[in-house]
Amino acid sequence: MAEVIILPSPTAAGSLVADEIVRLVQRRPDAVLGLATGSTPLPVYKALVPRLQGVDVSQVRGFALDEYVGLPEGDPESYRAVIEREVVRPLGLDPARIQVPKGSLDGIEHAGEDYERALTEAGGVDIQLLGIGTDGHIGFNEPGSSFASLTRVKTLTEQTREDNARFFPSIDDVPVHCITQGLGTIMRARHLVLLAFGAGKADAVAGAVEGAVTASLPGSAVQLHPHATVIVDEAAASSLRFADYYRYAFANKPAWQGL
Ligand code: PGA
């Protein structure tokens, strides 16, 4: 089972994960970071800014989880643009070393395979940040996604389009299709760090961590990963049956273990 860490706030979670990422980059200057978009990972990126001052990030590589299909090149809500705005520029990463699946219609048939090849050539992801959708998706792997799936085009659920409509003028502007790393792709990352904040995520978190392992709740794939850390605030932890045990285990976590 995944390790579950319950913290008082997204800020505390951001600090904990940022510390781990800094340790990784110091140990391995060309570390491969698995980058996530959405609101959830923002505290991590924010906490990284001061911590990376004076750390050489010129060799750091990164791969985003997913992208919308069919947005015009340079659209500010494309995940390519979001990753540049929220991660690459603030952290001073080399944009040439950061990849996002290509969502342009031109070449979309082989964009998934190309991305898989690039991930393999990079030697795989060291630490993969993940959010979880209210419908249980990770990346854009909606319910029903195969645990063996690789990067491919998917159709977003109506729920996900509603959840993401806040970034667009209206829900009609939210793309119907996306390209996302598959669950099989995500499972190859050496360390998964799934973050969730707020009561709206409580059911998805409880299902993912304590429910049945099922493609109907793609986040439950974390239960099959040898090194998965799930970090939640109190509200997102509110449906967890074993919350007291997770608190007890974290309070007694051996210092040498790291995250
Ligand atoms: P959010 O999205 O971080 O904006 O809540 C999470 C997700 O859909 O994976």
Side-chain angles (χ1 to χ4, degrees):
M1 96 129 52
E3 177 180 22
V4 181
I5 300 176
I6 303 169
L7 293 175
S9 66
T11 309
S15 300
L16 186 71
V17 178
D19 285 343
E20 182 71 10
I21 292 174
V22 171
R23 275 194 293 276
L24 168 67
V25 171
Q26 284 169 334
R27 195 167 69 236
R28 187 166 177 209
D30 65 344
V32 179
L33 307 181
L35 303 168
T37 48
S39 308
T40 305
L42 295 179
V44 176
Y45 302 140
K46 193 167 172 211
L48 275 170
V49 173
R51 284 170 174 77
L52 288 176
Q53 297 296 320
V55 177
D56 178 12
V57 295
S58 62
Q59 306 301 309
V60 169
R61 295 168 292 169
F63 285 86
L65 277 172
D66 45 18
E67 175 61 289
Y68 292 112
V69 167
L71 287 180
E73 169 111 26
D75 188 296
E77 292 312 327
S78 72
Y79 284 174
R80 158 60 69 187
V82 171
I83 289 281
E84 290 207 6
R85 192 165 65 235
E86 288 169 354
V87 188
V88 174
R89 261 181 258 144
L91 303 188
L93 305 182
D94 176 359
R97 290 174 193 270
I98 308 301
Q99 304 208 37
V100 179
K102 289 206 170 53
S104 78
L105 292 171
D106 183 24
I108 194 68
E109 319 81 79
H110 51 79
E113 266 173 58
D114 294 347
Y115 205 63
E116 287 292 325
R117 196 173 319 109
L119 274 161
T120 304
E121 281 170 10
V125 168
D126 289 306
I127 182 164
Q128 177 65 59
L129 298 176
L130 296 168
I132 186 165
T134 55
D135 66 358
H137 71 211
I138 54 174
F140 271 143
N141 293 282
E142 301 288 25
S145 295
S146 161
F147 283 134
S149 53
L150 302 178
T151 307
R152 73 227 182 278
V153 171
K154 286 286 288 180
T155 307
L156 295 171
T157 59
E158 288 294 335
Q159 177 69 58
T160 297
R161 292 183 67 234
E162 276 167 33
D163 288 347
N164 289 7
R166 67 190 193 278
F167 297 113
F168 291 86
S170 84
I171 187 161
D172 298 331
D173 299 298
V174 184
V176 171
H177 294 107
C178 63
I179 175 165
T180 180
Q181 286 190 32
L183 295 176
T185 318
I186 292 168
M187 291 292 281
R188 291 200 308 261
R190 287 179 273 282
H191 184 191
L192 301 183
V193 176
L194 188 149
L195 299 152
F197 308 123
K201 299 292 175 71
D203 288 347
V205 167
V209 174
E210 296 179 341
V213 174
T214 168
S216 298
L217 208 165
S220 65
V222 298
Q223 294 182 47
L224 299 174
H225 194 281
H227 188 187
T229 311
V230 175
I231 304 178
V232 292
D233 64 1
E234 291 288 346
S238 57
S239 298
L240 288 170
R241 184 169 157 211
F242 303 116
D244 288 344
Y245 170 68
Y246 307 139
R247 288 195 185 89
Y248 175 78
F250 186 59
N252 289 288
K253 190 175 169 67
W256 56 263
Q257 259 183 358
L259 255 198

